[in-house]
Amino acid sequence: MSEHLFTVVEGGSITTPKGFKSGGLHCGLKKTERNDLAVIVCDVPATAAAVYTMNVFQAAPLKVTRESLANGILQAVVVNSGNANACTGEQGESDAYEMRAATARHLGIDENNVGVASTGVIGELLKMNCVRTGIAELPEKLNDGAVGAEEFCQAILTTDLVKKECCVKVLIGGVEVTIAGAAKGSGMIHPNMATMLGFMTTDADIHQEDLHSLLREATDVTFNMITVDGDTSTNDMLITMASGFAGNDTLNRLHPDWDAFAAAFTYVCQTLAKSIARDGEGAAHLIEVIVQGAVNEHAARAIAKTVVGSSLVKSAVFGADANWGRIIAAVGRAGVPVSPERVDISLGSIKVLTQSMPVAFDEEEALAYLQGDTVLITVILQDGDGSATAWGCDLTYDYVRINAAYRT
Amino acid sequence: MSEHLFTVVEGGSITTPKGFKSGGLHCGLKKTERNDLAVIVCDVPATAAAVYTMNVFQAAPLKVTRESLANGILQAVVVNSGNANACTGEQGESDAYEMRAATARHLGIDENNVGVASTGVIGELLKMNCVRTGIAELPEKLNDGAVGAEEFCQAILTTDLVKKECCVKVLIGGVEVTIAGAAKGSGMIHPNMATMLGFMTTDADIHQEDLHSLLREATDVTFNMITVDGDTSTNDMLITMASGFAGNDTLNRLHPDWDAFAAAFTYVCQTLAKSIARDGEGAAHLIEVIVQGAVNEHAARAIAKTVVGSSLVKSAVFGADANWGRIIAAVGRAGVPVSPERVDISLGSIKVLTQSMPVAFDEEEALAYLQGDTVLITVILQDGDGSATAWGCDLTYDYVRINAAYRT
């Protein structure tokens, strides 16, 4: 990624782009006193776009957000954690509509410009008395600085250990534009065309259809390339809002600085996606899998995701075991063409397989490398020029512990 | 399965069908003194068939066995554990051919009638001095009774805890025919058109092409419907040999008792497949997922395998947590059409979801059920008449422990 086209804003957050405020609070959906309700709001109706889970079962909030977004505009998104409002039937839909209406009323904006997002346990009705009280209190929590962003980020977490945010600046026609995002993981992560919950803000002035297509393209190479456990959520949603307050010439694909904006936007997505993988449930290591030389890009993505999603590869990384046999077995079951006799595999800079034949390597060196924070697996084929990168995490005792008793 | 068409032979094994002997020994491939080399041999060249892994990377023994089986006949299969002889290049192929030739020489049979199978670590060369000595000693270990079968079953195990075998009798034109099988699991189990290592014997006289097609059909609804960890091995192979010693009229698809034979044969496959799932690495529970009312059988199989393979469903079963939200999320990401508003889910006889809406259930009762040895998950759709059953196991601390340090 051409990082020189943009600058990372240290400490930046979703309220750094001009025109956005956010806030969060504890309304009673989580059992502990952690934030569980939040809102992000723009000073004006913002150009907006979203991508959604491909799961057949889609939670009620997704229906409501789709409706609000039909005209490409959102001014606010209300989000709760602790309850996914999924598989909750007509009552769940009614509750999502009520969340939208109440948020609009208390913020004094049009309810058709409000999106709704939920995350947490599936199949339980929302405690609407908590939600109602919470939404009424949200306006006084709004803040356009770091405090508001912090409260928001904390409110969207479930089993996540750390908040996930990223902010960059990029020059568009000589005008500084800011792009930021926040996201939550960290289980049921195997996005398909969309992702977990993600919220991106920018003060760019940008054409809605181009914002939407950029969101889809960036998602394909970032959020759609991570996996924690192979499970795709019913609530995945990534929403982006553009306030237009930067004052740049309206961005579209023909703008000379479009590539810089797209690179900056994609960098934010990639940073959030990697943060989710690194903070996957129980994760001790971030795993990055690079595939080069595949027959095409589709094949490269399939192979990268199959390797990074393999329970055996993930367990081996947890155990710092340079078991490349599991890597090649995963490459071979990805369902795409591979020439079996021409595969190179490296762990970091340690070559373990050349032309599908084992290379003698220093086990001590491999052990030391695999005990590091990040494990890079490179798979080089000789079938074409398809390449892709995927991210995931190791499979640990803590993953099992967390998921053996999530609901109860 | 119409169990009345055949009878289970308690204590029966691969040497129960007439005309088969087997034996096994420790030759030095496993670090402990457990058996790691075995052979099964028929008194005559047997009608034979096999199915193989769909993994792009196929171990050397598969190439050799395919060659031997080109004429539909095998008289012996030699198998080792402790080393998969996969990704071992030309030396690996040469070693597999040498295993075949040595076995033929010591048994006094045609080498083109010998199959070779290996299982264990990928990417290490076989210790051929151990293998050579072992093969020379195998003939004196041959036995046509329970002892030979026991030594064989022990020799094919890797991380398996228990041996897996099954034997049935069925009447074909009034003549008693016996079918038996042995198999090993228990990691890298997500068979695709073939399976782990499986060996079936029968004394039936049967047409080779019909034996082969029956093997494929039975595999599709048994071995191909289990998953332990979603990973497909490079060494999967299921071999069947028919001695013809029962003296029945030659079986083919037009024989009036074909259905009884097919049911008996499939029962053996299903029993072995379930045994593999139950003994999956680290498993504490057998999980059986039944899907009914899917749009077609393909969809039913996809849904059943997705649910039984979900890390979140598997973790929830380990924790005895009736978290049906994860089941419906898995149904929804199976990649096949499902009407989202018409899904019923039960855990054993406990209904938890009706028409996609939660049903209040007794948590104590659900906990007690989920703590049992076998967990049955039934998913009933209203989209068609496709049905399927899949088997798997829970995801436990022991799975992680076993696979964090398998190789080292």
Side-chain angles (χ1 to χ4, degrees):
Chain A
M1 204 158 296
S2 321
E3 210 166 323
H4 63 281
L5 294 172
F6 54 88
T7 315
V8 175
V9 182
E10 297 299 334
S13 67
I14 50 169
T15 52
T16 306
K18 294 172 198 154
F20 293 94
K21 296 186 183 73
S22 65
L25 51 77
H26 173 75
C27 77
L29 300 176
K30 281 180 183 163
K31 287 166 190 164
T32 58
E33 283 292 313
R34 295 154 62 209
N35 282 5
D36 51 20
L37 187 73
V39 70
I40 179 161
V41 58
C42 186
D43 293 344
V44 295
T47 301
V51 286
Y52 308 91
T53 183
M54 291 292 282
N55 198 305
V56 166
F57 300 94
Q58 300 204 346
L62 277 72
K63 182 182 179 190
V64 174
T65 301
R66 275 182 212 272
E67 273 187 27
S68 292
L69 243 178
N71 62 352
I73 291 171
L74 282 182
Q75 191 166 356
V77 182
V78 62
V79 51
N80 74 273
S81 56
N83 186 317
N85 195 11
C87 299
T88 44
E90 288 176 15
Q91 184 61 49
E93 271 188 29
S94 162
D95 290 346
Y97 279 116
E98 185 181 342
M99 283 178 72
R100 180 174 80 161
T103 302
R105 193 168 64 248
H106 288 288
L107 294 174
I109 64 178
D110 185 341
E111 71 173 298
N112 289 316
N113 290 343
V114 177
V116 181
S118 298
T119 180
V121 176
I122 295 173
E124 293 181 7
L125 290 174
L126 275 168
K127 291 180 192 162
M128 283 303 291
N129 55 334
C130 298
V131 173
R132 279 183 209 110
T133 309
I135 288 176
E137 293 170 3
L138 274 177
E140 67 199 55
K141 301 283 184 182
L142 283 176
N143 177 285
D144 65 2
V147 172
E150 176 70 19
E151 296 290 340
F152 181 92
C153 285
Q154 292 300 331
I156 63 176
L157 305 183
T158 53
T159 52
D160 307 63
L161 297 178
V162 298
K163 64 175 179 172
K164 291 141 191 93
E165 55 186 356
C166 179
C167 183
V168 301
K169 284 187 189 296
V170 58
L171 287 178
I172 303 298
V175 175
E176 192 174 78
V177 164
T178 307
I179 307 170
K184 59 92 43 185
S186 63
M188 212 176 266
I189 297 292
H190 187 77
N192 184 4
M193 311 310 280
T195 178
M196 341 48 44
L197 293 187
F199 306 92
M200 296 179 67
T201 56
T202 177
D203 47 22
D205 186 331
I206 182 168
H207 191 264
Q208 196 273 336
E209 285 177 16
D210 291 327
L211 179 64
H212 194 184
S213 60
L214 174 60
L215 183 68
R216 283 195 302 255
E217 289 163 12
T219 298
D220 269 349
V221 294
T222 58
F223 292 111
N224 281 356
M225 292 304 291
I226 61 172
T227 188
V228 168
D229 50 16
D231 275 282
T232 303
S233 162
T234 53
N235 287 54
D236 285 353
M237 182 159 40
L238 173 64
I239 295 176
T240 182
M241 292 195 284
S243 69
F245 281 19
N248 58 295
D249 296 340
T250 302
L251 270 163
N252 60 38
R253 288 188 176 268
L254 303 177
H255 193 288
D257 289 329
W258 173 263
D259 287 349
F261 184 80
F265 190 92
T266 305
Y267 177 84
V268 173
C269 291
Q270 187 191 94
T271 303
L272 294 174
K274 286 170 72 171
S275 301
I276 289 170
R278 184 184 293 275
D279 192 27
E281 286 177 338
H285 297 83
L286 174 70
I287 306 176
E288 177 167 326
V289 178
I290 295 178
V291 174
Q292 295 174 341
V295 65
N296 54 39
E297 193 170 311
H298 163 76
R301 288 185 192 176
I303 293 165
K305 286 197 78 166
T306 303
V307 172
V308 87
S310 159
S311 291
L312 288 169
V313 171
K314 290 154 62 80
S315 300
V317 170
F318 173 56
D321 181 6
N323 194 331
W324 57 263
R326 294 177 179 174
I327 298 170
I328 200 163
V331 171
R333 71 169 169 87
V336 295
V338 171
S339 297
E341 70 287 357
R342 292 184 298 179
V343 182
D344 294 357
I345 296 179
S346 302
L347 302 172
S349 61
I350 305 166
K351 279 188 199 292
V352 294
L353 199 75
T354 301
Q355 300 293 293
S356 298
M357 285 291 292
V359 178
F361 59 89
D362 183 335
E363 290 275 359
E364 295 283 316
E365 185 190 353
L367 178 67
Y369 176 70
L370 291 169
Q371 286 173 336
D373 175 64
T374 299
V375 171
L376 173 64
I377 298 171
T378 308
V379 177
I380 301 180
L381 310 171
Q382 292 182 28
D383 297 321
D385 58 5
S387 63
T389 305
W391 299 273
C393 58
D394 49 347
L395 176 61
T396 68
Y397 296 120
D398 276 351
Y399 178 85
V400 177
R401 182 184 56 73
I402 291 164
N403 285 301
Y406 174 69
R407 199 185 54 103
T408 47
Chain B
M1 204 156 292
S2 320
E3 210 168 321
H4 63 282
L5 294 172
F6 54 86
T7 316
V8 174
V9 181
E10 296 299 336
S13 67
I14 51 167
T15 52
T16 307
K18 293 173 200 154
F20 293 94
K21 297 185 184 72
S22 66
L25 50 77
H26 172 76
C27 76
L29 300 176
K30 281 181 184 163
K31 287 166 191 164
T32 59
E33 284 291 313
R34 295 153 65 208
N35 281 5
D36 50 20
L37 186 72
V39 69
I40 180 163
V41 57
C42 186
D43 292 345
V44 295
T47 302
V51 286
Y52 308 90
T53 183
M54 291 293 283
N55 197 305
V56 166
F57 300 94
Q58 301 204 346
L62 278 71
K63 182 181 179 191
V64 175
T65 301
R66 275 182 213 273
E67 276 186 25
S68 291
L69 243 177
N71 63 351
I73 291 172
L74 283 182
Q75 191 166 355
V77 182
V78 62
V79 51
N80 74 273
S81 56
N83 185 317
N85 194 10
C87 298
T88 45
E90 289 177 15
Q91 185 62 49
E93 271 188 29
S94 161
D95 290 344
Y97 280 117
E98 185 181 341
M99 283 178 73
R100 181 174 79 160
T103 302
R105 195 168 61 249
H106 288 288
L107 293 174
I109 63 177
D110 184 343
E111 73 173 297
N112 289 315
N113 290 343
V114 177
V116 181
S118 298
T119 180
V121 176
I122 295 173
E124 295 182 5
L125 290 174
L126 275 169
K127 293 179 190 161
M128 283 303 290
N129 55 334
C130 297
V131 173
R132 277 182 210 114
T133 310
I135 288 177
E137 292 169 1
L138 273 177
E140 66 199 55
K141 300 284 184 181
L142 284 176
N143 177 286
D144 65 1
V147 173
E150 177 69 20
E151 295 290 339
F152 181 91
C153 285
Q154 292 300 331
I156 62 177
L157 305 183
T158 53
T159 53
D160 308 62
L161 298 178
V162 298
K163 64 175 179 173
K164 292 144 189 90
E165 53 186 356
C166 179
C167 183
V168 302
K169 284 186 189 297
V170 58
L171 287 178
I172 302 299
V175 175
E176 193 174 78
V177 163
T178 307
I179 307 169
K184 60 93 41 189
S186 64
M188 213 177 266
I189 296 292
H190 186 78
N192 184 4
M193 311 308 282
T195 176
M196 343 49 43
L197 293 187
F199 305 92
M200 296 179 67
T201 56
T202 176
D203 47 23
D205 186 333
I206 182 169
H207 191 264
Q208 196 273 338
E209 286 177 15
D210 291 327
L211 178 65
H212 195 184
S213 61
L214 174 59
L215 183 68
R216 283 196 302 256
E217 290 164 13
T219 298
D220 271 349
V221 295
T222 58
F223 292 110
N224 280 356
M225 292 304 291
I226 61 172
T227 188
V228 167
D229 49 18
D231 275 283
T232 302
S233 162
T234 52
N235 288 53
D236 286 352
M237 181 160 38
L238 173 64
I239 295 177
T240 182
M241 291 195 281
S243 69
F245 281 18
N248 59 293
D249 294 342
T250 303
L251 269 163
N252 60 39
R253 287 188 175 267
L254 302 177
H255 192 289
D257 290 328
W258 174 263
D259 287 350
F261 184 81
F265 190 93
T266 306
Y267 176 84
V268 172
C269 291
Q270 188 192 93
T271 303
L272 294 173
K274 287 170 70 172
S275 299
I276 289 169
R278 183 184 293 276
D279 192 26
E281 285 176 339
H285 297 84
L286 174 70
I287 306 177
E288 177 167 326
V289 177
I290 295 177
V291 174
Q292 295 174 340
V295 65
N296 54 38
E297 194 170 311
H298 164 76
R301 287 184 192 176
I303 294 165
K305 286 196 79 167
T306 303
V307 172
V308 86
S310 159
S311 291
L312 289 168
V313 171
K314 290 155 62 80
S315 300
V317 170
F318 173 55
D321 181 5
N323 194 330
W324 57 262
R326 294 177 180 174
I327 299 171
I328 201 164
V331 170
R333 70 169 169 88
V336 295
V338 170
S339 298
E341 71 287 357
R342 293 183 299 180
V343 181
D344 294 357
I345 296 179
S346 301
L347 302 171
S349 60
I350 305 166
K351 279 187 199 294
V352 293
L353 200 75
T354 301
Q355 299 293 293
S356 298
M357 285 291 291
V359 178
F361 60 88
D362 183 335
E363 291 274 359
E364 296 283 315
E365 185 190 353
L367 179 66
Y369 176 71
L370 291 170
Q371 287 173 335
D373 174 66
T374 300
V375 170
L376 173 64
I377 298 172
T378 307
V379 177
I380 301 180
L381 311 172
Q382 292 181 29
D383 297 321
D385 57 6
S387 63
T389 305
W391 298 273
C393 58
D394 48 348
L395 176 60
T396 68
Y397 296 120
D398 276 351
Y399 178 86
V400 177
R401 181 183 55 75
I402 291 165
N403 285 301
Y406 174 70
R407 198 184 56 102
T408 46

